[in-house]
Amino acid sequence: MNMKNSAIFLENLSEFKNSDIDTDDFEIFTFDYELHKHLAKNKINHHVADQYLDEEDHKKIFKYTISLYDWHKNELIPKLDFQGINILGLFDTSEFHNLLVREIYRFITIKRILESLKFTKLKANPHSSSIIKLIQNNSIKIETIKNSFTDFSIRFEKYSLPISINGKNLPIQISRKKYESIKNIVESVIGTFFGLFFNSKNKKSPIILVELNTEQYFDLMLNLKKSNQNVILINLRKPAFWNLKTLKSLKKSKCKILTPNSYLTKSEKNLVSSSSIEYSKKLDELWNSHEQFSKVFQIENITIWPIIEKILLKTFKQRIHEYLNLILFSQKIQGEISPKCIVTVNVFGETEKTILECNQQTTSILLEHAFTNYVPELSLYDISNMYPVFKDKIALWGNIQKNYLDKQYQISNDRIILSGSPRHDIFFLNNSYTSINKKTKVLITLGMLDEQNAIFDTELFERFENILKKTFQTLQSMDNTSFIVKLHPSLQKNNLQMKKFIHEFDQNIIVKQFSSIIDDIHECDIMINVFTEIYGSTVMLEGLIMKKPILNISLDTRSYKFEFEKDNAVLGISYDNDIDVNIKKIIQDENLRTTLIQNGTKHVSKYLTNPGNASENLARILSSLE
């Protein structure tokens, strides 16, 4: 097929509608799945941009992204210190990762297209046009699509409040600044009324829990109370309480909360306000060091700094007050409270980073927070669990992870705590298997097509939709069978598109997102888990704990010999297997279901130490720390 001399790069459907192009004159390249679907449906010829990437490119994109995590430590970049802490290192690493991986993905995709094909004229939105200019040698005429902009979607710049009315989720988005203001008011009023704030006159060294979900870790909090420990919760992203249940949890466990708003004095707050103006100007001055930044942010000998510099500067300036606040707050904790230990499930977040950076002497513990079964072939991606970058103690769910960290990173035994999973103790209280009755209830749990691993592409989305279509059709054809769909709680674009697809297929399908996962699993007879992630999903482990037979459908064809597969804990198939046959098999074959439950129970006992009493075990370990 002969290529035209002109091409247009389109990121979304609105760009296509606004671009006013003659499709006979331009080769169309789509950078968005929804747009690809629209063009395919209307039989408009086009090229899917990410098809110009190969498997090695996807790995490269991820490697490039994580290689820039410590950009602020590069000797070419001047430090921006406040009270001895480099402000540039406080930006949430997961947010930075999501921004960077998306931009590098776009950059590499455009570069591969331009390396493969020759055009004399290109048309694109302003952002993609700037990328083309970085790559091409001025031999291409570039025309910009008007009335188009790129949404950088910094994850925590807006907060979504999942409001449910008559069973329908109506997430309301508010700005980060407004969210913080509302959070401070609510915490101040309710915290003061119920006596929830930490009293600095209490001189007993407390255990500090940083950004822990009080609903998930209530059993741990309660067991720390039984061990006669003072416990402080520092939750600056999601509040320590957000409903009556979590408020009661705080009261019952006698945990106290601590926030910069409640703890910093008026003079300290004034210092932050005055310093914020000064440091905002310093950021402007620093960003003028274009040459240094350009050298640090190089990909394949081309700088990508021009495509991210504005959004990074904007984000730092918007958050400079928060960062200075956090630094004073964290240093004051170390100087006045002297914690016994600091427990967190994350070291990439801004709260965690600052508290740990200011911590010079207190033991810090990273608590495993999700089900993963690492294998050497996928070690590149284990950075997401933060083990390679964390230098203190790590509390693991069991020996499978311990053995991996020993072999892969030679992490010494004195740094490992085998705690089990405190967040899953409650699941063992609800793990009695419900035998299939007259009507089989199926729970379909969906992973999320997350961009962060750089494996997401158009083909993967098509596989996902095809799996769901076949699954729904099979279940709807079976008598005495009902099903509901459980979405990943994320409100990212890809997740919302999947919800839209489900309702386009059949608007009567019940889709849940923010309901209790324990209740959802308990009420079903069988689970069908659509496996979209690199490793096993936590919801799959939760189904195994609660003794549910599980059909695990993978979007990938490769097998990495995960322990749950070797143990035959689930009925595992790939997207290209016969989905209809396997769904009917797990529903109709009672012996298979019984075997899966038995194997699943054995796998859980192998993967988790202290099943059902991990909170008690971890509380005992934390209490014994000097």
Side-chain angles (χ1 to χ4, degrees):
M1 183 180 71
N2 293 326
M3 279 279 180
K4 302 178 181 74
N5 292 325
S6 301
I8 183 168
F9 294 166
L10 296 170
E11 286 192 12
N12 53 58
L13 190 55
S14 63
E15 281 186 1
F16 172 72
K17 293 178 178 178
N18 295 333
S19 59
D20 190 29
I21 63 166
D22 186 341
T23 55
D24 291 332
D25 295 333
F26 285 85
E27 298 286 351
I28 300 175
F29 289 81
T30 58
F31 287 73
D32 173 75
Y33 178 65
E34 196 171 27
L35 172 60
H36 159 67
K37 279 182 67 176
H38 174 80
L39 296 184
K41 182 179 179 181
N42 290 279
K43 298 181 179 179
I44 298 173
N45 290 330
H46 63 284
H47 307 268
V48 176
D50 57 38
Q51 289 184 348
Y52 285 80
L53 301 175
D54 59 25
E55 184 179 337
E56 194 56 35
D57 285 325
H58 285 279
K59 289 181 181 178
K60 282 180 182 178
I61 292 166
F62 188 81
K63 288 178 180 178
Y64 291 143
T65 301
I66 61 176
S67 72
L68 290 168
Y69 277 8
D70 289 335
W71 65 275
H72 57 282
K73 295 180 181 178
N74 192 293
E75 60 183 13
L76 293 174
I77 306 295
K79 290 184 178 181
L80 188 62
D81 282 1
F82 177 72
Q83 303 283 323
I85 302 297
N86 187 357
I87 295 167
L88 300 180
L90 300 185
F91 184 31
D92 186 299
T93 303
S94 63
E95 283 186 284
F96 180 66
H97 179 105
N98 286 342
L99 166 68
L100 207 56
V101 77
R102 200 164 53 239
E103 293 308 310
I104 295 175
Y105 194 105
R106 185 186 284 114
F107 171 83
I108 293 293
T109 302
I110 292 175
K111 190 169 185 285
R112 295 295 180 263
I113 293 171
L114 297 182
E115 288 169 347
S116 302
L117 306 169
K118 304 301 178 185
F119 299 104
T120 57
K121 181 180 178 181
L122 287 173
K123 194 171 184 179
N125 66 29
H127 188 61
S128 292
S129 294
S130 67
I131 295 175
I132 295 168
K133 290 174 184 177
L134 292 173
I135 298 169
Q136 61 95 27
N137 57 5
N138 298 318
S139 61
I140 303 175
K141 180 182 177 182
I142 303 173
E143 184 180 338
T144 302
I145 299 172
K146 297 177 181 178
N147 302 318
S148 179
F149 72 98
T150 298
D151 182 6
F152 285 96
S153 302
I154 300 293
R155 179 176 288 182
F156 294 127
E157 208 49 59
K158 291 183 179 179
Y159 280 81
S160 296
L161 306 177
I163 307 297
S164 294
I165 299 177
N166 294 327
K168 292 189 174 181
N169 299 318
L170 303 172
I172 298 174
Q173 280 200 335
I174 62 173
S175 69
R176 181 185 178 104
K177 189 173 182 180
K178 183 171 285 188
Y179 173 82
E180 183 183 9
S181 178
I182 294 172
K183 179 177 176 291
N184 284 340
I185 292 171
V186 172
E187 283 178 333
S188 179
V189 173
I190 296 179
T192 302
F193 182 81
F194 287 99
L196 298 178
F197 286 111
F198 173 72
N199 187 341
S200 57
K201 293 180 181 179
N202 190 332
K203 297 303 180 182
K204 184 177 179 180
S205 293
I207 292 171
I208 292 183
L209 309 179
V210 183
E211 300 286 7
L212 258 64
N213 184 315
T214 47
E215 195 166 38
Q216 290 181 342
Y217 291 95
F218 170 62
D219 284 345
L220 174 61
M221 292 154 51
L222 202 58
N223 275 280
L224 287 171
K225 174 199 167 187
K226 292 176 182 176
S227 299
N228 197 30
Q229 297 298 314
N230 282 349
V231 179
I232 297 176
L233 278 164
I234 299 177
N235 282 30
L236 306 188
R237 287 194 294 275
K238 186 171 184 176
F241 58 88
W242 60 91
N243 54 24
L244 186 59
K245 181 180 179 181
T246 50
L247 183 60
K248 286 180 177 178
S249 296
L250 285 178
K251 291 292 291 179
K252 189 172 182 180
S253 64
K254 293 188 177 181
C255 287
K256 298 300 181 181
I257 62 175
L258 194 62
T259 65
N261 190 51
S262 67
Y263 191 48
L264 294 180
T265 64
K266 186 176 180 180
S267 63
E268 288 166 336
K269 291 176 183 177
N270 288 337
L271 172 62
V272 168
S273 296
S274 60
S275 298
S276 296
I277 299 171
E278 175 191 351
Y279 275 82
S280 183
K281 293 177 181 177
K282 287 185 176 183
L283 281 166
D284 284 325
E285 294 170 2
L286 180 60
W287 250 245
N288 286 330
S289 307
H290 187 83
E291 187 176 345
Q292 290 97 311
F293 282 101
S294 295
K295 289 179 180 178
V296 172
F297 287 88
Q298 278 201 5
I299 304 294
E300 298 189 351
N301 298 318
I302 299 174
T303 182
I304 62 166
W305 178 243
I307 66 179
I308 62 172
E309 62 173 324
K310 289 182 181 178
I311 186 62
L312 275 182
L313 176 60
K314 178 184 175 183
T315 304
F316 271 107
K317 292 185 77 170
Q318 286 175 334
R319 299 185 186 181
I320 192 66
H321 186 277
E322 289 179 45
Y323 291 169
L324 303 188
N325 220 29
L326 256 176
I327 291 170
L328 280 187
F329 174 63
S330 301
Q331 290 184 334
K332 191 173 182 179
I333 289 171
Q334 285 296 322
E336 295 185 359
I337 296 179
S338 299
K340 182 171 189 159
C341 65
I342 299 170
V343 181
T344 177
V345 295
N346 187 344
V347 297
F348 283 162
E350 289 155 335
T351 313
E352 298 89 341
K353 275 187 172 184
T354 314
I355 289 175
L356 293 173
E357 186 70 20
C358 293
N359 173 37
Q360 299 298 323
Q361 55 192 22
T362 303
T363 299
S364 54
I365 298 165
L366 175 62
L367 177 58
E368 184 178 347
H369 68 283
F371 175 59
T372 49
N373 182 189
Y374 293 124
V375 291
E377 306 97 293
L378 295 172
S379 61
L380 170 65
Y381 303 97
D382 66 19
I383 188 82
S384 61
N385 265 38
M386 300 155 283
Y387 302 141
V389 298
F390 189 68
K391 303 304 179 187
D392 211 338
K393 295 184 180 294
I394 302 173
L396 297 174
W397 289 2
N399 280 301
I400 289 176
Q401 291 294 73
K402 178 180 180 294
N403 293 338
Y404 173 80
L405 292 183
D406 178 35
K407 291 178 182 178
Q408 194 69 27
Y409 295 105
Q410 292 77 51
I411 293 179
S412 59
N413 285 335
D414 61 346
R415 284 185 55 205
I416 299 295
I417 297 172
L418 282 177
S419 62
S421 174
R423 61 176 282 193
H424 286 113
D425 287 343
I426 190 172
F427 284 80
F428 286 92
L429 300 176
N430 295 273
N431 67 350
S432 57
Y433 172 57
T434 305
S435 61
I436 291 187
N437 47 39
K438 292 181 180 179
K439 196 159 191 174
T440 304
K441 297 178 181 178
V442 178
L443 174 66
I444 303 172
T445 53
L446 305 184
M448 180 180 63
L449 289 174
D450 198 339
E451 297 171 329
Q452 70 173 7
N453 294 321
I455 60 171
F456 168 77
D457 59 17
T458 300
E459 184 181 359
L460 209 59
F461 220 127
E462 288 179 329
R463 290 180 192 175
F464 200 175
E465 287 194 354
N466 192 40
I467 286 171
L468 289 184
K469 185 178 179 180
K470 289 180 180 178
T471 300
F472 297 156
Q473 288 173 338
T474 300
L475 291 172
Q476 287 176 338
S477 72
M478 299 183 71
D479 294 333
N480 298 318
T481 301
S482 64
F483 67 92
I484 65 170
V485 177
K486 178 74 169 182
L487 278 181
H488 190 281
S490 168
L491 292 170
Q492 289 189 32
K493 178 185 175 183
N494 292 341
N495 215 30
L496 298 178
Q497 282 186 345
M498 194 52 60
K499 185 177 182 180
K500 179 182 176 183
F501 165 77
I502 294 169
H503 282 150
E504 285 176 349
F505 177 85
D506 185 345
Q507 62 181 0
N508 294 316
I509 292 176
I510 299 173
V511 179
K512 295 186 177 183
Q513 190 169 14
F514 304 107
S515 54
S516 165
I517 187 62
I518 296 180
D519 293 342
D520 291 337
I521 296 176
H522 185 72
E523 291 168 8
C524 80
D525 298 300
I526 289 172
M527 287 175 60
I528 297 177
N529 184 55
V530 182
F531 184 45
T532 61
E533 301 168 73
I534 290 178
Y535 307 106
S537 57
T538 303
V539 71
M540 185 178 72
L541 174 67
E542 290 163 349
L544 295 177
I545 293 173
M546 296 179 70
K547 298 182 179 178
K548 302 296 178 179
I550 299 173
L551 171 62
N552 190 52
I553 307 174
S554 174
L555 295 187
D556 205 340
T557 55
R558 291 166 293 184
S559 176
Y560 293 107
K561 297 181 180 178
F562 296 121
E563 293 294 331
F564 64 85
E565 292 179 330
K566 289 193 286 186
D567 291 341
N568 294 314
V570 299
L571 176 59
I573 64 171
S574 176
Y575 73 94
D576 57 356
N577 292 139
D578 196 323
I579 292 174
D580 176 79
V581 169
N582 283 283
I583 289 175
K584 290 178 179 177
K585 184 178 180 182
I586 197 169
I587 290 176
Q588 296 171 349
D589 190 336
E590 185 176 354
N591 289 332
L592 171 62
R593 295 193 304 275
T594 301
T595 300
L596 288 174
I597 293 167
Q598 291 172 346
N599 292 343
T601 302
K602 290 177 183 176
H603 176 72
V604 168
S605 65
K606 182 196 297 187
Y607 189 85
L608 295 177
T609 58
N610 304 302
N613 62 349
S615 296
E616 180 183 350
N617 179 62
L618 182 58
R620 184 172 60 253
I621 293 170
L622 298 180
S623 300
S624 67
L625 292 174
E626 295 297 333

